[in-house]
Amino acid sequence: MADTKREIERKYESDESGLPDLTGVAGVASVVDKGVAELDAVYYDTPDERLAAASITLRRRTGGDDAGWHLKFPVSSGVRDEIRAPLSETLPRDLAGLVRSRVREAELVPLVRLRSTRDVRDLLDEDGALLAEVSVDAVHAERLTGGGRTAQWSEIEVELADDGDPAFLDKVEKKLRKAGVRPSASPSKLARALRETAAPKKGKAAKGKAAKGKAAKDTVAKGEQGKKGKKGKKGKKGGGGAGKPGGAAEHVLAYIRVQRDAIVELDPAVRRELFDSVHSMRVATRRLRSTLKSYGKVLDRTVTDPIGEELKWLAGELGVGRDHEVLAERVTEALAGMPESLVVGSVRTRVRTWVEAGSSGSRRALIAALDGERYLALLRTLDAVIAEPPLSKGAGGDPEKVIGKAVSRAFGKVSDLVEAALAQPSGAERDLSMHEARKKGKRARYAAEAATPLLGAPAKQLVRDMKSLQSLLGDHQDSVMAREALRDLAFQAGQAGESSFTYGVLYGREERRAELAEAALPEAWRTITADSAF
């Protein structure tokens, strides 16, 4: 993977062309003139500017001390992660992968060229350490498509030094504001260039057409709430088929849209191996699949069931390494907490080898899946479902009634499985019932999440209850899986002539954890059923 740098900066505008004196900024011992650099950057995007719409920038820059390919992802206001790759004629493969969920099959084309004359100053502390880099940039922007329009401006940029305190930027800003400098109206040079080199709108007709288009989009986004009753009657009479969402469909599609967006946004984070990104993307995938199943009265199951199978595939690809990671963490933590007197033989080495063997290859397989056509086809299908939803008969029905019934059905399935588990003695059958109840509990939780904006407190309570149930049943299932792993490790140790004593101790402790979870289930379930409005 290319190098990554966390970029924390602020941009300013001034009616004056120069930089105010910054020697009076608290903590600054000296201001060092670093000279002038000539920078030439070409920004790439799809013709319909998908990257810019997501505040992502991709450029190929020459000049300065960081020439190369730069890909920037927004983190928060004024904070971006910049991924850098060496200068080359074509876009490096790693960077192409990071924008794939946004770009899809579209071509990345040169969109804007920015040539900047950068006058740089370093702000240093009394030890000579860099606090921030301040530059005055004279920018010339040229649109490379649609007529080659140009724009020019000057801006001041203050970038915090690596590992610097962001509060220092407040001190610099205070000094700049006193000198009449104001924060820039644009978050980036590219955003300003796109705005100032955009094709002018043509007269009243174009203006009216744009307004009409916006009004139409707003109407769809609001679900045409003023026409719910009419749409509801039509839905009851008519049947399925694509159409404009209203009634119950509006709420379900809003939740589906959030999960689709989460998958797209988490894709580059997964590729970059950011903390919890794989788990988060897997959860979004499961939420989508559960929602399609739970709300079959709203969206046509003949259309959505095949999508659910593809989401199951994606969740499986995301889970290969994740499941082993969770299991390995449980076993290694249990082993680390054991007294040395109970650790017999080369247990730690064997467990470490097992952890590493389970992790190898899983990441390569996941990236191959994300690079494959099957994944892109799934994203396209999700886009199509949101754009032209396959509505069922209940789609236009009374939202509270339709969605309330869906949540009740989901909770009922959990109830049946928990009751079945409670009626069975400890053993494999109960383990299976508890595992199935856990999976159905997730589905009920996600159904309630989608219903929360509409149903309010009862749905929120069910979400809390299902989280609690998931935690209890999840710990039990983790114990089942840990015991299977420990049994295998003990067998391997025995085959190698090593002692299996420690694995037996760990196995016994996992049995006890499972027993505690089973013992806690009856009371936990009584509390949940007493709370539930479903």
Side-chain angles (χ1 to χ4, degrees):
M1 178 57 66
D3 295 333
T4 300
K5 180 181 184 297
R6 176 60 56 87
E7 179 182 85
I8 303 176
E9 65 179 21
R10 298 181 187 179
K11 296 180 182 295
Y12 301 90
E13 299 173 1
S14 173
D15 295 329
E16 304 295 331
S17 59
L19 183 69
D21 180 17
L22 297 176
T23 54
V25 174
V28 175
S30 61
V31 178
V32 178
D33 189 340
K34 301 295 289 186
V36 176
E38 298 294 337
L39 308 178
D40 191 344
V42 174
Y43 287 76
Y44 288 75
D45 204 339
T46 60
D48 55 356
E49 300 179 14
R50 298 177 194 177
L51 297 183
S55 299
I56 297 169
T57 61
L58 172 64
R59 73 187 179 200
R60 181 184 184 276
R61 189 164 81 180
T62 57
D65 57 5
D66 62 347
W69 288 91
H70 303 159
L71 175 61
K72 299 187 181 186
F73 288 98
V75 176
S76 59
S77 179
V79 182
R80 295 186 290 182
D81 277 346
E82 181 178 274
I83 298 95
R84 297 177 176 178
L87 196 63
S88 60
E89 290 302 317
T90 58
L91 178 64
R93 183 175 179 180
D94 282 349
L95 298 194
L98 291 174
V99 297
R100 194 164 187 260
S101 65
R102 298 281 186 188
V103 172
R104 312 287 175 82
E105 298 90 348
E107 183 184 4
L108 285 167
V109 298
L111 199 63
V112 168
R113 183 183 185 187
L114 297 183
R115 285 171 287 179
S116 304
T117 300
R118 169 165 289 183
D119 190 0
V120 182
R121 308 282 194 283
D122 280 353
L123 306 186
L124 309 180
D125 65 12
E126 59 184 6
D127 296 322
L130 181 66
L131 296 169
E133 180 184 275
V134 182
S135 63
V136 178
D137 294 343
V139 185
H140 176 86
E142 178 187 2
R143 176 79 68 151
L144 300 177
T145 59
R149 288 170 297 278
T150 63
Q152 297 184 63
W153 69 88
S154 179
E155 69 178 36
I156 296 172
E157 184 175 288
V158 183
E159 182 174 348
L160 190 67
D162 293 347
D163 301 318
D165 182 0
F168 176 71
L169 295 181
D170 294 332
K171 299 175 183 178
V172 177
E173 180 164 316
K174 184 177 180 181
K175 183 73 171 179
L176 291 173
R177 283 180 176 271
K178 284 184 177 179
V181 176
R182 59 189 179 276
S184 175
S186 296
S188 67
K189 288 183 177 68
L190 176 61
R192 182 166 182 173
L194 290 174
R195 186 181 72 249
E196 296 192 7
T197 64
K201 294 179 181 178
K202 299 179 181 179
K204 294 182 179 180
K207 191 178 293 184
K209 184 177 180 182
K212 184 178 179 181
K214 183 179 185 301
K217 287 181 180 179
D218 290 344
T219 300
V220 173
K222 293 176 182 176
E224 294 190 313
Q225 296 182 17
K227 299 181 181 179
K228 283 182 185 175
K230 186 176 179 180
K231 282 183 174 289
K233 291 178 182 178
K234 183 178 179 182
K236 290 176 182 177
K237 289 180 183 178
K244 292 182 180 180
E250 175 189 348
H251 298 276
V252 175
L253 288 167
Y255 189 75
I256 289 174
R257 189 179 297 109
V258 169
Q259 305 315 318
R260 186 278 312 269
D261 291 348
I263 290 174
V264 171
E265 290 167 9
L266 285 164
D267 177 299
V270 168
R271 294 171 185 269
R272 294 169 59 199
E273 299 184 79
L274 298 188
F275 174 73
D276 205 41
S277 56
V278 172
H279 172 64
S280 297
M281 188 172 176
R282 191 183 187 193
V283 168
T285 303
R286 285 173 163 173
R287 280 178 167 141
L288 261 176
R289 182 168 179 251
S290 294
T291 302
L292 295 177
K293 284 183 174 292
S294 296
Y295 292 101
K297 301 293 185 181
V298 176
L299 298 177
D300 186 355
R301 288 285 296 271
T302 63
V303 176
T304 61
D305 278 356
I307 301 173
E309 288 304 307
E310 291 304 285
L311 289 167
K312 181 180 180 181
W313 161 77
L314 179 57
E317 295 293 331
L318 290 162
V320 172
R322 173 65 182 173
D323 287 342
H324 181 78
E325 179 185 338
V326 171
L327 183 57
E329 184 178 335
R330 186 179 180 102
V331 172
T332 52
E333 284 184 358
L335 181 59
M338 288 186 71
E340 285 299 321
S341 59
L342 298 180
V343 181
V344 180
S346 56
V347 178
R348 299 189 194 283
T349 300
R350 181 167 294 280
V351 168
R352 185 166 55 251
T353 301
W354 166 72
V355 171
E356 293 171 354
S359 301
S360 65
S362 61
R363 173 163 174 77
R364 288 193 299 274
L366 174 55
I367 298 304
L370 296 181
D371 284 341
E373 171 57 29
R374 187 175 182 178
Y375 172 62
L376 284 187
L378 173 57
L379 294 182
R380 286 195 301 270
T381 303
L382 292 172
D383 292 344
V385 165
I386 293 169
E388 294 290 339
L391 304 181
S392 293
K393 290 182 179 180
D398 178 76
E400 289 191 19
K401 185 177 180 180
V402 173
I403 289 179
K405 280 186 176 181
V407 177
S408 293
R409 283 194 300 271
F411 181 64
K413 292 177 181 178
V414 180
S415 181
D416 291 343
L417 286 165
V418 173
E419 295 294 344
L422 292 174
Q424 293 169 334
S426 293
E429 291 300 318
R430 173 179 269 195
D431 290 347
L432 181 60
S433 292
M434 292 178 71
H435 179 47
E436 290 300 316
R438 176 178 175 241
K439 291 194 290 186
K440 291 297 189 292
K442 285 184 179 180
R443 184 180 300 177
R445 171 186 164 187
Y446 300 149
E449 283 180 352
T452 294
L454 179 67
L455 302 183
K460 286 182 180 179
Q461 182 60 53
L462 185 59
V463 171
R464 289 193 290 269
D465 287 340
M466 291 300 97
K467 280 184 178 180
S468 175
L469 182 66
Q470 276 182 246
S471 178
L472 180 63
L473 297 180
D475 189 56
H476 181 273
Q477 178 62 18
D478 287 347
S479 173
V480 172
M481 300 304 295
R483 278 179 278 159
E484 288 185 10
L486 289 166
R487 190 184 300 113
D488 290 342
L489 285 167
F491 177 77
Q492 294 169 19
Q495 291 290 96
E498 301 169 6
S499 171
S500 60
F501 171 78
T502 303
Y503 305 107
V505 175
L506 291 171
Y507 189 99
R509 291 184 176 185
E510 286 294 350
E511 275 190 322
R512 180 57 181 159
R513 290 181 71 169
E515 289 170 0
L516 292 173
E518 291 182 34
L521 181 58
E523 180 58 31
W525 185 243
R526 278 194 292 272
T527 301
I528 288 171
T529 53
D531 286 343
S532 178
F534 298 96

